Amino acid sequence: MLRRAGAATLIVGVIGTAIGVLVAGSQGLIAGALGTIIVLLFFSIGQVVLGSVLKNRPENAMMVAMALYLVKIGVLLVLLLVLQDATFFAPKVFAGVIVACTLAW
């Protein structure tokens, strides 16, 4: 599952980054690449952790899944708030690529 979800996310991330380059130039490139990498890391780590829990303690799977979801959303919210006024990249492209990649996953 990781390969298929990762491949779909990567394709959407590359398309989003290309659109970001057209819209915002090099800042769009940085934002798109960073957004794609963050989503790939977050979801891959979450999937590995959840898979481990399912093997060892399946009765705790739902609790761990919810905790992982809340942590991911919380960290993404903090990143978006901290980086919303960043000048080294395009925050709107960053947010758009994160949303698109999350939906693709």
Side-chain angles (χ1 to χ4, degrees):
M1 181 178 152
L2 274 175
R3 279 187 229 163
R4 275 188 268 145
T9 303
L10 187 60
I11 290 168
V12 169
V14 168
I15 293 169
T17 301
I19 293 169
V21 168
L22 292 174
V23 171
S26 63
Q27 290 181 339
L29 174 67
I30 294 168
L34 188 60
T36 303
I37 290 168
I38 287 171
V39 170
L40 284 170
L41 283 175
F42 276 22
F43 282 86
S44 296
I45 290 169
Q47 192 67 38
V48 169
V49 170
L50 191 57
S52 174
V53 169
L54 282 170
K55 285 181 187 175
N56 300 321
R57 306 282 307 233
E59 64 274 6
N60 293 337
M62 184 57 95
M63 181 178 60
V64 171
M66 291 302 294
L68 285 169
Y69 176 76
L70 289 173
V71 167
K72 284 184 227 178
I73 296 301
V75 171
L76 284 175
L77 178 65
V78 168
L79 279 173
L80 289 173
L81 290 174
V82 168
L83 297 174
Q84 72 182 354
D85 294 325
T87 58
F88 68 92
F89 79 126
K92 290 182 181 180
V93 173
F94 179 68
V97 169
I98 284 179
V99 169
C101 286
T102 299
L103 291 174
W105 184 272

